[in-house]
Amino acid sequence: MITPALSARAALDLDKIDYGGDKPQQEGRREIASRLAYDRSRDDTLIGMHIVNVILIVVTATLYRFWAVTRVRRLVWSKTRFDGEPFEYTGNGLEIFLGFLKVFAVVLLPIGVLAAVVDASIGIPTTMEELATQELYAGAQVVVILSLLEMGRFLSWRYRLSRTRWRGIRGRIDASVWRYAGVALLTVAAWLFTGTLLKPVADAMRAKFVLSRMSLGTQKVQYFGGDVILFGRWFMVAFLSGVVVAIIATAAIPSEDVMESVMAADDINAGEAIVGRLVIALVIAYVLIMWLYFWYRAGFWRYVAEHTRLGGLSFRFHASGTQMFGLWLGNMLILVFSVGLLAPLTWRRRIEFLARHLEVLGALDPAMIRQAAEDDGALGGEGLVGDFDIA
Amino acid sequence: MTAPWAAKDWSVTSTSPETTGSAVLYDGASAARHRVIVTIRADRLSLAPSDERAAGPDCPLSWPWSGVHTLDPRSDGHVFSTDRAPDARLIVADAAIATAIQAWATGDSPAGHGPGFWTRHRRAVIAIGATAMAFLLITLLIKPITEGVAALLPEDAGAAVADQAIQTLAEEHRICTGDDGLIALRSLTNRLAGAAGLAPPVLTVLDLGMANAGALPGRRIVVMRGLIDDAESAAEISAVLAHELAHVVHRDPLAGWIRGDVINLLTSAIFGASAVGDAGQAVTALLLDASYTREQEARADATAIDMLRRTGLTADGGARFFQRLAKQEAVPATLRPVVRLLTTHPGSAERADRFAAAATGVESGLTEAEWAAVRAVCG
């Protein structure tokens, strides 16, 4: 377990750029873990930039969001370092904007037109066949749109990685989005048709697909994870979530007799008290379920980290579910109380959390990491994802 | 690996007046860090590895000023690159050297990197401006285009969807089935439609208290019970029916629906499928639609008066109907312009005057017995 103080000192050491060539890794230094660091020095600039971005986004009817996210990423990337070297973000707003327009024209427009045509040609179904066609189409539409959103997430990862450099070398994910479509479909099906029970399988498949195709220049990421993992843990989360809901519902929902007497008496105060109690119960249930969920999440990332290698590097993730939950809760509170204006603090908390809890072991041989050809496939931008999903 | 040009560059020893300093170079070919000596010359920036025993960088080491550009600074130095090796990164920690390089470098920075608002945001401004222009153009053209499309479609287009809408309303509110009343209303409707050259429309009476009537695509007319209850005479019903049929003549309902779809598509193209988008969409749609419909209503009134004239029916019912409406919606005079801007229909008083001034015919459209049956249509 790495203490924050230790990792902060390690980051400080590494911040001192020496202008010598690469030194061979010293034996003792391998055990100093967190080599990821976040430089807080220009955080006021970042917050100012974010506030200007929010204003410009409002003024331009949200069109500026593509450029806003680009400016922010350029700064955040440059503040984040690995082994003392900052990342560089080379994307530009126009390409994300054009990618968004392309997805709109090629995907959303046809789906919308098809939906209108099917609706207009059937109208009120008069036969079972027409009813079945309509229902089938509506169902297919939900699956297709959710899959498209999932594919958008993949496009976004691929795009961001292809626009990220470290020591001048580009990252990449070497797979077309259409090959990811199968994973996307399974992910959606796992949610829709198995009551989320297959979620760990979908998560594992997604991690495997993406990580095993990821690389830094010519240096490929190796991923050794399996397909069926963490079932027990996820099952426990689902089961305990059910228990939480049952207990809180029993405690907060008044009996029918009480409801009837309140309704009969037309007692507004009593009615409000019931609603108030229900809202509080809902919030408590949500927070408790998220806490359970992060227990699964932490286990998942621990598993993924332990099964990933990059050249001579291996990884360990030490955060517990409760720590991840704390990060999430803190960020939620920051966003709520600052009306989103302090979002940069939540990005910083996320990166610093990762820096604190991700232990990186071993050494990279920089001379062996060569630049790979430009990833033309990633030129299409981020698809439907044009939001503030920064880090 | 050492590139041939590197050897040539090493032999160039710096002459005294030229500024030199140390820097770090990532050559863009590998992740290896190279310590270099930079020399600022009149025509170019020269780089030379400072440790001759180490493997040299794998990129051109002579950077003509016309291709050198500045990138975002890092916390440990300024960053430069060159057109000759776009992947290469030169990191200069010494502020004096960095400033000198910046002064000499004349290469175009990649979009979004240069100094000045215009250089950094040129593409953003152009893209947002182009989108806004396209939006404006479509806003101006949307009316003639949708009306043209609606006129080209068959008369029955949209009937299925209209029936679906009526069916949805009917789940909440009963469809009135008084036979005699329906026969009377339908014959009046057909008579008016015939005068405008329309095929017989499909008329439905809904058991709804609202004093209103409406036209839907596919020649569907819906009359609400409240309209019949409030009417002081059969002539009012004739005038309102004529007005709704006039909408059918101009294909306004179909054009409106098409416009709604186009507006939905447009706004989702701009805002994306986000929560913010929904709000923006609602506001845009409201503002776009309000002014069109006001024109449409005035046009429908004119056509309705024409229909009444051809069938020899009186327009007085329309005048009385709108006078009553005008009383209900009386607004202080100062607020009237604002209300006129926001409402879809022309002012009711204005419309009452229009109907009152029209000399059309004298008949009310229904006999006493028919009018009684119509009043009982919902039982």
Side-chain angles (χ1 to χ4, degrees), chain B residues 10-341:
Chain B
W10 290 354
S11 62
V12 182
T13 45
S14 65
T15 47
S16 52
E18 289 162 340
T19 320
T20 61
S22 65
V24 165
L25 173 70
Y26 291 113
D27 60 12
S30 85
R33 169 194 288 166
H34 302 277
R35 202 177 136 188
V36 293
I37 304 289
V38 295
T39 308
I40 295 174
R41 301 181 193 281
D43 58 338
R44 66 187 191 276
L45 182 67
S46 284
L47 319 177
S50 50
D51 181 0
E52 296 193 9
R53 289 161 304 173
D58 189 10
C59 73
L61 295 175
S62 174
W63 294 14
W65 289 122
S66 62
V68 176
H69 52 253
T70 309
L71 296 174
D72 289 344
R74 311 181 354 165
S75 59
D76 55 357
H78 286 82
V79 185
F80 302 95
S81 189
T82 171
D83 290 351
R84 295 188 66 192
D87 286 342
R89 296 289 182 269
L90 181 72
I91 296 127
V92 181
D94 185 325
I97 304 277
T99 312
I101 296 177
Q102 262 166 351
W104 280 97
T106 52
D108 284 333
S109 291
H113 286 260
F117 179 85
W118 178 243
T119 325
R120 274 184 288 120
H121 294 287
R122 190 176 60 222
R123 297 216 215 165
V125 172
I126 291 172
I128 292 173
T131 314
M133 286 297 288
F135 190 68
L136 194 72
L137 205 66
I138 294 170
T139 311
L140 293 174
L141 294 178
I142 195 167
K143 188 185 172 215
I145 288 175
T146 50
E147 284 185 355
V149 170
L152 286 176
L153 288 172
E155 239 181 34
D156 280 339
V161 191
D163 285 341
Q164 198 169 5
I166 295 171
Q167 200 66 43
T168 311
L169 275 174
E171 280 166 15
E172 294 280 322
H173 313 278
R174 198 168 57 89
I175 290 181
C176 299
T177 50
D179 278 345
D180 294 344
L182 281 180
I183 290 171
L185 277 176
R186 283 184 181 141
S187 87
L188 171 61
T189 315
N190 292 350
R191 184 175 160 194
L192 286 163
L198 283 175
V202 180
L203 180 122
T204 311
V205 182
L206 280 175
D207 191 1
L208 234 155
M210 219 188 298
N212 206 346
L216 294 171
R219 294 197 317 278
R220 265 57 176 171
I221 302 285
V222 176
V223 174
M224 294 173 188
R225 178 180 46 78
L227 181 78
I228 301 169
D229 288 352
D230 285 6
E232 287 159 14
S233 73
E236 289 190 26
I237 304 293
S238 307
V240 172
L241 280 175
H243 173 84
E244 296 308 331
L245 285 168
H247 278 312
V248 175
V249 170
H250 297 299
R251 305 269 178 100
D252 289 336
L254 190 58
W257 282 20
I258 296 172
R259 201 154 55 230
D261 284 346
V262 174
I263 289 170
N264 270 342
L265 279 172
L266 269 184
T267 47
S268 67
I270 291 180
F271 300 121
S274 67
V276 187
D278 289 342
Q281 191 168 326
V283 173
T284 322
L286 185 75
L287 288 176
L288 273 181
D289 229 37
S291 61
Y292 298 139
T293 21
R294 217 165 43 228
E295 281 169 42
Q296 282 177 359
E297 294 305 322
R299 186 174 63 180
D301 281 346
T303 309
I305 289 167
D306 191 45
M307 254 187 248
L308 292 169
R309 185 175 295 127
R310 284 174 194 224
T311 42
L313 298 183
T314 175
D316 292 353
R320 267 201 308 281
F321 177 78
F322 285 117
Q323 274 158 11
R324 203 168 56 242
L325 221 58
K327 262 181 224 151
Q328 285 169 11
E329 58 193 37
V331 195
T334 45
L335 285 180
R336 243 168 249 158
V338 182
V339 173
R340 192 171 308 143
L341 195 71

Side-chain angles (χ1 to χ4, degrees), chain A residues 188-208:
Chain A
V188 172
W191 277 102
L192 287 184
F193 303 123
T194 71
T196 79
L197 215 59
L198 281 182
K199 179 175 162 55
V201 177
D203 283 352
M205 275 190 66
R206 187 201 283 139
K208 189 174 183 173

Side-chain angles (χ1 to χ4, degrees), chain A residues 19 74 81 85 88 165 371, chain B residues 24 26 35 72 89 112:
Chain A
Y19 284 96
R74 283 227 307 269
R81 296 158 166 266
E85 273 296 322
E88 182 189 348
R165 285 159 185 253
Q371 191 79 281
Chain B
V24 165
Y26 291 113
R35 202 177 136 188
D72 289 344
R89 296 289 182 269

